[in-house]
Amino acid sequence: DVKVTQSSRYLVKRTGEKVFLECVQDMDHENMFWYRQDPGLGLRLIYFSYDVKMKEKGDIPEGYSVSREKKERFSLILESASTNQTSMYLCASLGVTGELFFGEGSRLTVL
Amino acid sequence: KQEVTQIPAALSVPEGENLVLNCSFTDSAIYNLQWFRQDPGKGLTSLLLIQSSQREQTSGRLNASLDKSSGRSTLYIAASQPGDSATYLCAARTGANNLFFGTGTRLTVIP
């Protein structure tokens, strides 16, 4: 089975802190994604990566950056966390058949 | 731009009942359609993937159908159980990195 692992399930940070959200997949997938999910707004794409060191902005990239140094790992970075970045963050990996696999999610609270 | 709609937003049924969840999309030029389940506070779990050339897919008590010409997909759940209670989302893919999510149907199965 495909495994997408998000290292932190729950985080509490203070405004202005730098936040790293890590995601690892074990199926050698090329495409990986970061979404955020908010009540009433659904899932929104922040960034995606289609290969090592390659990245593309999604619908809401402002305030975020990403890093893909190795194929299996895709990191989301909040350079200076703000309260409006309190959300559920979901990492996903795309299989060769077009099936998307998600991690368990990271619930971030920014105080 | 593709729009994906799921109606109803919430549904309650007694245990044992068969039920159908609906998903509509505006652009029939899709690569595939995927159904997910999401439990509270968790990530999305892939249930079924239907490629654009397919009409239906089955897994256990779940059956998903796809009618591209009418822009509709349905998820049929047979003999519902309390453990089926969750939010069900559909997502239509129009490109490698273009995936459009519905807002979900929250299902409650009453024992």
Side-chain angles (χ1 to χ4, degrees):
Chain A
D1 283 353
V2 175
K3 186 82 172 170
V4 179
T5 303
Q6 294 184 231
S7 55
S8 304
R9 289 294 319 280
Y10 302 96
L11 302 95
V12 179
K13 299 291 182 181
R14 298 217 172 264
T15 300
E17 281 192 81
K18 191 169 186 176
V19 182
F20 291 88
L21 299 179
E22 304 284 339
C23 175
V24 176
Q25 50 95 1
D26 66 355
M27 285 300 291
D28 201 37
H29 291 165
E30 293 183 348
N31 293 274
M32 296 184 73
F33 306 80
W34 275 105
Y35 292 88
R36 66 177 281 177
Q37 185 179 32
D38 301 286
L41 296 176
L43 279 88
R44 293 179 290 169
L45 181 64
I46 305 171
Y47 266 97
F48 64 91
S49 169
Y50 51 92
D51 203 348
V52 174
K53 298 191 185 295
M54 307 304 287
K55 60 186 179 185
E56 291 285 344
K57 294 179 180 179
D59 299 321
I60 52 162
E62 297 79 17
Y64 303 94
S65 63
V66 291
S67 172
R68 185 120 182 249
E69 296 296 320
K70 293 185 178 181
K71 195 172 187 179
E72 67 270 19
R73 187 180 299 270
F74 191 34
S75 302
L76 181 69
I77 303 156
L78 288 68
E79 293 289 344
S80 178
S82 62
T83 55
N84 63 12
Q85 293 179 309
T86 291
S87 186
M88 169 70 96
Y89 290 88
L90 295 166
C91 174
S93 169
L94 184 66
V96 294
T97 62
E99 187 172 6
L100 195 65
F101 299 93
F102 280 87
E104 280 288 291
S106 298
R107 170 74 65 183
L108 172 67
T109 301
V110 183
L111 301 176
Chain B
K1 182 182 175 182
Q2 178 77 272
E3 290 185 7
V4 181
T5 304
Q6 292 184 250
I7 295 173
L11 179 66
S12 290
V13 299
E15 182 177 1
E17 191 164 294
N18 302 325
L19 61 102
V20 174
L21 304 180
N22 296 296
C23 173
S24 300
F25 47 94
T26 54
D27 185 351
S28 62
I30 62 171
Y31 284 8
N32 60 46
L33 189 133
Q34 192 169 358
W35 282 92
F36 298 90
R37 167 191 173 131
Q38 187 175 31
D39 293 291
K42 299 285 186 69
L44 280 66
T45 300
S46 178
L47 296 174
L48 289 164
L49 174 73
I50 312 176
Q51 303 293 353
S52 62
S53 58
Q54 298 173 322
R55 295 300 299 269
E56 64 178 313
Q57 283 285 338
T58 298
S59 176
R61 294 182 294 109
L62 305 180
N63 176 278
S65 68
L66 176 64
D67 184 342
K68 285 202 317 177
S69 61
S70 66
R72 293 178 58 187
S73 177
T74 61
L75 180 67
Y76 174 83
I77 302 177
S80 58
Q81 304 170 357
D84 295 329
S85 297
T87 296
Y88 291 81
L89 295 101
C90 65
R93 180 173 299 282
T94 59
N97 296 310
N98 292 320
L99 187 65
F100 297 89
F101 287 89
T103 50
T105 295
R106 188 173 69 251
L107 173 66
T108 302
V109 180
I110 304 165

